[in-house]
Every structure is written in C-alpha cells, then in structure tokens.
C-alpha cells in the first residue's frame, strides 16, 4: 500500500512574530501609561463651575461676544506666533470683571483654559489676572499645569510693554509646551479684557 504524506503549509516567516510583538508592545505601553494619564488628562471643570469659581456661586455674569478688530488680531498673532482662528470670542462680564475661555494647542491637542480678569487690587486701575483654571486637557504629558502650584503664579499679572506678563512664570519639567500655551492664553485674555472695558472702544462688543 502506498503511503500518503501530508505536509503542513509553511508559516510565513517573520509575519506572525512581528504582529504579536507589536500588539504586545501596544498593550504594555497602554498599561504602563494608563494609571497616571487616566487620572490626569480629561475634563476638570465645566463652564458653569469655572464661572462660579470666578464670580461666586450666586453671581450671574452676562454672556457677551467680542468681535475681533484687525488691530486685536494682529496683537494676538504676535503673542501666538501664528494667526488666531476666531473672528469673535465669547466672554462673561460682571462689572469690570470678565471671564474668558480659550483653547490653545499644547503639543498636538487643544487645552481648554479659563482666565478671569479684574481690576488689580494693588492700584485699582490696571487689569490683572484674577485666576487661571484648566477646564480640559487632552494629551498624555503636560497635565501638571492644572495644579494650583502653577496656576497661582498668574494671580496679579498684568500686561506690560509688548503685551508680555509683568511677572515671571516658573515652568514645569516635561510640560514646556503646556506652560507656553497657558501663558499665551493669559496674555490674550488680558488683551481682550482691556478691549471690552468702558474706557476702551467697545463698539465691537455685544
């Protein structure tokens, strides 16, 4: 009787091991990153919560809109180093205190940043940062900017020559781009707040 030999098909050399290794690396990367990142990146404050922190729980700031003039857009471009994508900006106002929620790119994703601007307690005339809050952070690195030890540095900062902040803001190791984004938004908020004050040309504010 003839013997029939059946040969198993040859495995495609190198294909399965490479796929398996890649999959394992992705799983290990996710497991290694998730404990910190899952607790760090995300939504921290709603708009209503931010406004309550800025104005007080019982206060009712009026929502308004500022249309950006070419002059304002040019100054914002200088601060950002690139064009500002919006034609108008929504804000909230109660007396001379204003609140602004703006987004700026950290490394690749936008950071949602809230800035409250009020009269400087030192002289009662200049507009100064009252508080800074991170409402949402969407990247895996740089989330430390949400903490008070960083945001408290902005309190009392005003704009001086060339639209720079009047006080030094210490950076955070590993969060350089996030720090830069928050500093830029603080400067822009002070600039916009000045544009909607009664002493300014408020024809573009609604």
């Amino acid at each position: 009787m003839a013997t029939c030999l059946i040969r198993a098909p040859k495995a495609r050399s190198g294909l399965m091991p490479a796929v398996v290794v890649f999959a394992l690396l992705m799983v290990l990367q996710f497991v290694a990153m998730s404990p910190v990142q899952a607790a760090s990146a995300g939504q921290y404050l709603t708009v209503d919560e931010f406004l309550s922190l800025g104005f007080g729980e019982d206060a009712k700031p009026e929502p308004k809109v500022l249309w950006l003039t070419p002059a304002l857009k040019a100054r914002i471009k200088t601060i950002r180093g690139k064009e500002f994508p919006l034609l108008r900006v929504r804000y909230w106002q109660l007396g001379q205190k204003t609140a602004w929620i703006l987004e700026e790119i950290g490394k690749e994703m936008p950071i949602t940043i809230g800035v409250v601007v009020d009269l400087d307690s030192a002289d009662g005339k200049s507009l100064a940062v009252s508080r800074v809050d991170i409402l949402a952070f969407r990247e895996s690195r740089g989330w430390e900017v949400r903490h008070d030890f960083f945001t408290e540095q902005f309190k009392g900062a005003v704009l001086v020559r060339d639209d720079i902040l009047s006080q030094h803001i210490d950076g955070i190791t590993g969060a350089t781009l996030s720090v830069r984004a928050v500093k830029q938004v603080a400067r822009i908020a002070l600039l916009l707040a000045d544009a909607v004050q009664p002493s300014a040309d408020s024809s573009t504010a609604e």
Side-chain angles (χ1 to χ4, degrees), residues 67 80 108 110 119-120 127 130 137 151 161 173 176 196 199:
W67 287 88
R80 300 180 75 237
E108 296 175 345
L119 290 178
D120 187 3
L127 290 173
S130 174
F137 194 89
T151 58
R161 184 173 56 86
T173 302
T176 302
V196 301
S199 58

Side-chain angles (χ1 to χ4, degrees), residues 36-44 137-140 143:
V36 174
Q37 293 175 3
S40 305
Q43 182 82 33
Y44 308 135
F137 194 89
R138 302 170 179 86
E139 296 188 301
S140 60
W143 50 266

Side-chain angles (χ1 to χ4, degrees), residues 172-184:
I172 301 173
T173 302
T176 302
L177 298 178
S178 298
V179 168
R180 182 181 67 182
V182 180
K183 290 168 66 176
Q184 288 177 351

